[in-house]
Amino acid sequence: MENILEVKNLRVSFQTFFGEVEAVRGISFSVGRRETVAIVGESGCGKSVTANSIMQLLPMPPAFLKGGEILFNGENLLNKTEKQMQAIRGSKITMVFQDPMTSLNPTMKIGRQIVESLVKHRRMSREEARKKAVEMLKLVAVPQPEKRVNQYPHEFSGGMRQRVMIALAMVCNPQLLIADEPTTALDVTVQAQILELMKRLQDQLDMSIILITHDLGIVADMSDRVVVMYAGQILETGLTEEIFASPKHPYTKKLLASVPRLDMNRNEPLYSIDGTPPDLYIPPKGCAFYDRCTEAMKICKDYMPDFDEHSDSHKSCCWLNHPMAQKINSADGSEER
């Protein structure tokens, strides 16, 4: 599969009063054409920093790039000027942010915000752009789009504002959509509608998607591949069915165990991962999950393992997968490394 995006050894830090925070620590992944890649992990693991690095939206300072490449259609976005990035954002790469109320301009009517994007990136006349704006609102199932185009964001519900954000992101037919928690704070019915809408528009517009989320149920339904992040690093990556059927890293296993199941006893407590992520002011030398891992060995504390390939598409970095690691008993009684 041809890749539209390749992130190579990306390292991003923030300079604070207390010192340097290493938010993203040498991650590498790719996104193929028409592919949906989900980036999952706990809050603070570097998902949104990665997304904003791709869009070049991090304020510098306090953020600063320590190394790496972000190749979009073979061109390194990190070498682009701000003027060049302005031509790429909104037209070739777009982003749906977590909170649509803070992302939409509360002082501008919805229609005008969509029109401005079309005038800038597609060189349309305002009359043509307005017709296109109504078409996009209709496409994302906003009722009465001819009327709604003249309303302000506060006149929309949370679900409708999220639909407007998707319309704004897709109006210029982007090649890559970054969806950062697109269903946060929405009820499950609206979530299902938004996800179905994104899948339908992906097919219609022939685009790729990076989906950033905590919800593994959404991941199972939407994504082709999964990237598991923790403490600014990638611990495991693979096809969605590989990650769900045969997770290899203890962190991935615990994330999956945290998902509520329909067959659970109503009195059974929900599983949670003990402990807290490490302080990235002083990143750990070895595996960042060491302090929370029930299967940790002495070597995990001081040395970060290399990636082990379990298939052409599935790899993880854990000392338990090393040929010399002691075998352990899994939950079903079978032996595994």
Side-chain angles (χ1 to χ4, degrees):
M1 180 186 296
E2 181 185 0
N3 291 327
I4 190 172
L5 180 78
E6 293 180 80
V7 176
K8 298 182 178 181
N9 197 31
L10 180 66
R11 304 177 68 87
V12 181
S13 292
F14 290 85
Q15 191 62 49
T16 72
F17 178 79
F18 299 100
E20 178 186 343
V21 177
E22 298 182 29
V24 174
R25 304 188 293 146
I27 67 169
S28 300
F29 67 94
S30 62
V31 182
R33 295 192 182 276
R34 298 195 66 180
E35 184 181 35
T36 300
V37 174
I39 303 178
V40 302
E42 293 172 284
S43 295
C45 70
K47 304 186 301 295
S48 294
V49 173
T50 301
N52 283 289
S53 297
I54 295 171
M55 295 289 287
Q56 294 292 283
L57 290 176
L58 292 175
M60 296 190 180
F64 62 96
L65 180 72
K66 295 187 69 175
E69 295 179 309
I70 300 175
L71 303 178
F72 178 69
N73 288 327
E75 297 183 0
N76 191 356
L77 296 181
L78 300 180
N79 293 334
K80 300 289 185 183
T81 64
E82 176 58 24
K83 185 174 182 180
Q84 290 172 323
M85 283 303 303
Q86 287 178 7
I88 293 173
R89 293 190 210 108
S91 59
K92 296 180 180 179
I93 307 176
T94 57
M95 189 167 176
V96 177
F97 296 91
Q98 291 187 35
D99 187 353
M101 196 57 198
T102 57
S103 302
L104 293 169
N105 189 331
T107 68
M108 291 174 62
K109 293 178 179 178
I110 293 298
R112 183 182 170 191
Q113 296 187 51
I114 299 176
V115 165
E116 294 291 339
S117 181
L118 288 167
V119 170
K120 179 176 181 179
H121 295 295
R122 290 290 179 261
R123 307 298 181 187
M124 287 185 177
S125 68
R126 291 194 169 272
E127 184 178 351
E128 291 175 324
R130 184 178 175 79
K131 291 179 181 178
K132 181 66 174 177
V134 172
E135 290 177 11
M136 283 302 301
L137 290 180
K138 185 176 181 179
L139 186 64
V140 297
V142 172
Q144 299 178 297
E146 296 84 0
K147 175 184 176 182
R148 292 289 205 168
V149 79
N150 293 315
Q151 293 181 330
Y152 290 92
H154 72 269
E155 299 178 77
F156 288 68
S157 67
M160 286 296 110
R161 288 197 295 267
Q162 196 66 285
R163 291 173 188 269
V164 171
M165 280 296 300
I166 292 174
L168 186 58
M170 297 185 177
V171 71
C172 292
N173 296 350
Q175 298 174 37
L176 175 64
L177 171 69
I178 302 174
D180 189 356
E181 299 283 358
T183 57
T184 295
L186 301 179
D187 62 66
V188 290
T189 303
V190 177
Q191 279 188 24
Q193 294 172 351
I194 294 294
L195 296 174
E196 180 60 34
L197 170 64
M198 289 176 61
K199 288 192 287 186
R200 177 161 52 85
L201 292 178
Q202 180 180 25
D203 292 335
Q204 292 180 8
L205 302 179
D206 196 31
M207 68 180 178
S208 305
I209 295 177
I210 295 177
L211 178 64
I212 298 173
T213 183
H214 294 90
D215 193 329
L216 293 177
I218 292 175
V219 172
D221 182 52
M222 282 282 295
S223 68
D224 301 304
R225 283 193 298 120
V226 180
V227 174
V228 181
M229 286 191 68
Y230 183 77
Q233 296 176 311
I234 292 175
L235 299 185
E236 186 167 0
T237 180
L239 298 178
T240 302
E241 53 265 31
E242 292 174 326
I243 296 295
F244 278 80
S246 182
K248 298 300 183 183
H249 197 284
Y251 178 60
T252 309
K253 295 176 184 178
K254 290 180 181 294
L255 280 181
L256 292 171
S258 302
V259 178
R261 304 187 316 274
L262 291 174
D263 61 349
M264 290 179 63
N265 188 306
R266 62 184 301 173
N267 296 320
E268 182 181 348
L270 294 175
Y271 178 82
S272 62
I273 306 175
D274 293 333
T276 58
D279 189 343
L280 294 183
Y281 286 116
I282 309 174
K285 293 187 296 182
C287 177
F289 194 57
Y290 171 79
D291 289 334
R292 306 172 72 186
C293 183
T294 55
E295 302 167 18
M297 301 177 288
K298 290 182 179 180
I299 192 173
C300 302
K301 183 176 182 179
D302 297 316
Y303 299 96
M304 185 67 184
D306 294 327
F307 276 99
D308 294 296
E309 294 190 0
H310 312 292
S311 72
D312 291 340
S313 55
H314 189 190
K315 61 182 182 178
S316 66
C317 55
C318 179
W319 285 113
L320 290 172
N321 298 316
H322 192 277
M324 296 180 65
Q326 182 179 357
K327 291 183 178 181
I328 60 173
N329 289 324
S330 62
D332 61 3
S334 60
E335 286 192 336
E336 61 178 23
R337 289 195 180 276

